[in-house]
Amino acid sequence: MNQKLKEDVLFPRALAEQIQGVGIIAVLTVDNAAHAVPAAQALVRGGITAIELVMRTPVSENALKSITTEVPEAMVGVGTILSPVQVDIAKTLGGTYGVAPGFNPEVVKRAEKIGLPFAPGVATPTEIEAATTMGCRILKLFPAEPLGGLKYLKAMHAAYRHLDLQYIPLGGVSEANLADYLEVPEVLAIGGSWIAPGALLKEENWDEITRRSEAAVNIFRQVRG
């Protein structure tokens, strides 16, 4: 099912292939810095080594530093990067890659300049064309399900199939529709917050996060082998 990836100006092929091999990116929103490492470790125990830590809370930077330092086996992506300054922070604190909910040319330029692998967010054909003009081939589709899910993705991608684009859908993806997304060759990996939601972090229910990780990984293996 995995297809050969085309080179992306901002996203090295080797890293993209690693993420493709995992197939699932667990989205983490950390409100308590003490929860960052145990949550990441619980994900890794369940087989998910690709993480997106969103930069939306006061402790996000501390959480990122802790995970990159103490959980070296994790590929820690930095999410919700909205400014060039946040690109610098992600790189300085050891982020493996960055993603954004939307397309900001200044963010893309900064990521390219300092060498942070980066996937901008797209929701429309116009944004796809703007991103590909800057050399981006790996794109975050957000918010995937509210936009129309796989039906929307397939219809929009049809016009750009010759560009060999790859997508990371996020927003409304869950265990219930995970297999459907993974069956689409153009989907590099999916992003999901259901695996390690804030409620489980607050409860410090690391076993349930590991269980959800294992369940998602099993679906991935059934679909992509």
Side-chain angles (χ1 to χ4, degrees), residues 191-214:
S193 57
W194 88 91
I195 303 167
L200 291 182
L201 270 65
K202 187 175 181 179
E203 296 168 5
E204 300 185 352
N205 194 342
W206 316 127
D207 288 343
E208 176 61 14
I209 291 174
T210 295
R211 188 201 67 77
R212 293 186 183 199
S213 300
E214 291 172 341

Side-chain angles (χ1 to χ4, degrees), residues 39-62:
Q41 291 172 334
L43 290 167
V44 170
R45 281 196 302 273
I48 294 180
T49 55
I51 295 171
E52 178 191 329
L53 178 70
V54 300
M55 299 290 280
R56 293 202 298 260
T57 74
V59 304
S60 295
E61 291 181 29
N62 288 337

